[in-house]
Amino acid sequence: MDDNPGNAQVTAPVERGPLPFHLGLLARLRAYFLAGVLVTAPVAITFYIVWLIVSFIDDRVSRLIPARYNPENYLPFGIPGLGLVIAVVVLILIGAVTAGYIGRVIVRLSDAILARMPVVRSIYGATKQIFETVLAHKSTAFRQVCLVEYPRRGVWSLGFVTGTTVGEVQERTSDQVVNVFLPTTPNPTSGFLLLVPTRDLVLLEMSVEDGIKMVISGGIITPPDRHSEPSRMAEPGLKLAKE
């Protein structure tokens, strides 16, 4: 034993042998567990969201059905999806009625009444225009995915072309301008409206669904390139994709 306490004792490195078998087994079990989650989680979440939507509609619609006509009051069990079916049938009947002359008169009268209400007319007008644009396919709304340099040059963001800018905005700009909706991650329902010259856009071949998946996943899900050629810059006057 060294009598000098100032001398430091150096220990030789300990050689570790192979990992025990139980550590390898735990690694395999962990991999199997993650694989099971990857398979079952999307299916379970999808069915859960559908069940929530159907239950929400059933609960609201069943309250409007008179007790004598509600079949759930005569059956020992509930009928899942009954409210959803009734809501779909009612919407079909309303659409059939509004297609006729009397229905169009009622719609015009209701539009005139709502247009005179100070606060309601703004909400009603914007909501109606959005639904008419999306459902009636009156424009190229959300039909094409693009890249735009935002928030600065050299940084690219994924956006969705909603149409060509018209009206006063286009008249006061020297270039052809396109409306681009820039969604946020992971919630694509919120975002920014950008008015971008066509020469500053890169139009992509990916579908809108693939673009939304990429935005929601934060870039984790990246769709493959559909062609080997690089994306080209949009030239002035380039026509947007149509149906």
Side-chain angles (χ1 to χ4, degrees), residues 91-108:
L91 291 176
I92 292 175
L93 293 177
I94 293 176
V97 171
T98 54
Y101 175 76
I102 298 178
R104 290 195 296 269
V105 172
I106 295 175
V107 171
R108 286 196 295 266

Side-chain angles (χ1 to χ4, degrees), residues 19-206:
L19 294 177
F21 173 76
H22 67 86
L23 293 181
L25 178 61
L26 291 178
R28 287 196 298 270
L29 292 178
R30 178 177 177 273
Y32 295 154
F33 173 76
L34 294 178
V37 171
L38 183 63
V39 172
T40 58
V43 178
I45 293 175
T46 300
F47 278 101
Y48 179 70
I49 293 176
V50 172
W51 177 79
L52 288 179
I53 295 175
V54 173
S55 300
F56 177 81
I57 298 176
D58 287 349
D59 182 61
R60 298 303 185 275
V61 175
S62 60
R63 299 178 183 178
L64 303 177
I65 303 176
R68 63 165 65 181
Y69 300 112
N70 193 343
E72 293 184 353
N73 295 331
Y74 304 98
L75 297 176
F77 54 88
I79 305 177
L82 177 62
L84 180 62
V85 173
I86 295 176
V88 171
V89 173
V90 170
L91 291 176
I92 292 175
L93 293 177
I94 293 176
V97 171
T98 54
Y101 175 76
I102 298 178
R104 290 195 296 269
V105 172
I106 295 175
V107 171
R108 286 196 295 266
L109 180 60
S110 61
D111 289 343
I113 295 175
L114 294 174
R116 296 178 180 274
M117 298 182 180
V119 179
V120 177
R121 64 185 178 187
S122 301
I123 301 175
Y124 174 73
T127 305
K128 182 178 180 181
Q129 186 175 4
I130 292 174
F131 273 89
E132 286 180 348
T133 302
V134 175
L135 297 180
H137 306 288
K138 292 184 178 180
S139 68
T140 56
F142 296 95
R143 297 297 176 185
Q144 199 161 7
V145 188
C146 67
L147 288 177
V148 58
E149 288 185 289
Y150 182 88
R152 63 174 176 83
R153 290 286 181 181
V155 177
W156 294 92
S157 298
L158 195 70
F160 299 91
V161 177
T162 59
T164 303
T165 306
V166 295
E168 181 181 1
V169 176
Q170 180 60 65
E171 293 177 358
R172 292 181 177 269
T173 56
S174 58
D175 301 321
Q176 180 182 353
V177 182
V178 175
N179 301 333
V180 176
F181 176 71
L182 191 67
T184 56
T185 302
N187 180 18
T189 59
S190 63
F192 307 94
L193 173 61
L194 305 180
L195 307 178
V196 186
T198 54
R199 68 170 183 270
D200 295 334
L201 289 179
V202 176
L203 303 180
L204 303 180
E205 297 293 335
M206 73 171 63

